[in-house]
Amino acid sequence: MAVNSEANSISISDLSLTFPNGFVGLKSTGLQIQSGHFCTLLGPSGSGKTTLLRAIAGLITPTTGRIRIGNTDVTDLPVQARNIGFVFQNYALFPHMSVAENIEYPLKLHNWKVDARKARVKEILDLIELPHAAGNAVGQLSGGQQQRVAIGRALAYKPSLLLLDEPMGALDRRLRQQLGAELRAIQQRTGITAVYVTHDQEEAFILSDRIAVMAHGEILQYSTPADLYARPGSRFVAEFLGEANLIDVQSVAGDMAVTAYGPLPFTAIETLHARHGQPSLLVRPEDIRFVDSGSNHPTPVLQAEVTRTLFLGSRCLVSAKMKDGKTLTVECGKSDAPREGTTCGVTWASSASIMLVQ
Ligand SMILES: Nc1ncnc2c1ncn2[C@@H]1O[C@H](COP(=O)(O)OP(=O)(O)OP(=O)(O)O)[C@@H](O)[C@H]1O
Ligand SMILES: [Mg+2]
């Protein structure tokens, strides 16, 4: 059932969109999505995720720029000529139709012959693992099952692209995780290119080949989940993806950053998205260790007072108050967490501290 895997890349160049009321929904945006990839648009509410998705779909017309799917420039094509499957937050299934009829509906619209339709519906029911529910009314299904039908319906006529706008927004966390894994499996099995919108960073990390982090109508950074986490190009990306300790840098002296805690080593200056502004060091909580203040370490050991220890089951999040009154968050194993009120040393490898300029 794999779709033609070479033809379904997406190439967006210089796309911008100003709404009739003058509001700039998208600033000049470029994005290249490889065929067969799962790409997530991740960003806070109002950052332009839905606007970009709707522009790809052809539901709104961009002010400037081009959109290509494979070798075809689709910018001027109407929605129905773009061969795209959609899944929206409210699945918009037809409540008076059965599961099979819902899946068959777009095939009828695309004038598939009866035999081909029946065969495809069976194929899709297997794909979404609901073969026994073919005759059920959709109202009898759980939210998660309805979601699977919506995905199946969107895939039925073999679109080149699958666009999903917060399709699991209404579901609880456990169901989201389970369905996310199912969605990813279906996407990989079919080899379809998917663009998925969410503001949930954990979901984005789990599902995606690539994530585009958006804010204020712009893509700030586009990369793999691991790269975004390890090498965020800006404070916004660092703080939006996971817990981030940011230490103000007063100046740079040789290979050391001068901070309120003295000179600290660092690995790299990220200039990718460099803007004017105060540079800072990023240190992730899991990279900080508690150590004996007296012992020898290759990196500076800073004094900290443990003000709070949060027990999270398999690990602890510890608040360590520094001498300037600011707090670093330290993640450690449950047996390594120091007691609240104690003073201890904290340190991290120089490879774990990244200079952000913005
Ligand atoms: N038709 C419109 N006219 C004017 N402004 C609009 C229009 N549609 C959206 N906007 C504005 O564009 C911005 C981006 O909206 P968009 O729906 O793309 O955000 P989003 O990232 O999808 O947010 P959410 O996570 O809340 O769904 C918002 O500030 C929104 O108010
Ligand atoms: Mg939206």
Side-chain angles (χ1 to χ4, degrees), residues 308-321:
R308 197 175 60 161
T309 295
L310 277 185
F311 176 64
L312 298 178
S314 60
R315 62 202 173 91
C316 287
L317 276 189
V318 179
S319 300
K321 193 168 153 199

Side-chain angles (χ1 to χ4, degrees), residues 16 71 78 110 143 155 177 196 221 241-242 246 251 270 296 325 356:
S16 72
N71 292 322
H110 284 77
L155 290 171
Q177 284 180 349
Y196 184 87
Q221 201 172 353
L241 300 179
L246 292 165
S251 61
E270 293 285 337
N296 257 343
L356 298 175

Side-chain angles (χ1 to χ4, degrees), residues 253-265:
D255 55 0
M256 300 295 262
V258 179
T259 72
Y261 316 136
L264 297 174

Side-chain angles (χ1 to χ4, degrees), residues 194-240:
V195 187
Y196 184 87
V197 166
T198 184
H199 52 252
D200 181 327
Q201 62 99 32
E202 192 178 84
E203 199 166 274
F205 272 173
I206 294 171
L207 295 176
S208 318
D209 293 303
R210 294 276 190 288
I211 299 174
V213 183
M214 296 189 70
H216 307 299
E218 266 187 297
I219 294 176
L220 299 183
Q221 201 172 353
Y222 178 55
S223 195
T224 61
D227 188 55
L228 284 173
Y229 188 75
R231 279 181 289 281
S234 60
R235 290 178 71 126
F236 179 87
V237 174
E239 289 183 297
F240 198 69

Side-chain angles (χ1 to χ4, degrees), residues 46-58:
S47 55
K49 306 180 297 293
T50 295
T51 304
L52 179 52
L53 203 72
R54 286 168 60 84
I56 296 172

Side-chain angles (χ1 to χ4, degrees), residues 7-42:
N8 302 324
S9 59
I10 306 175
S11 171
I12 293 168
S13 56
D14 186 31
L15 198 74
S16 72
L17 193 145
T18 304
F19 288 110
N21 68 358
F23 184 83
V24 179
L26 288 177
K27 296 171 192 159
S28 178
T29 303
L31 184 65
Q32 308 291 327
I33 304 174
Q34 217 174 297
S35 194
H37 265 192
F38 195 112
C39 169
T40 295
L41 309 179
L42 174 70

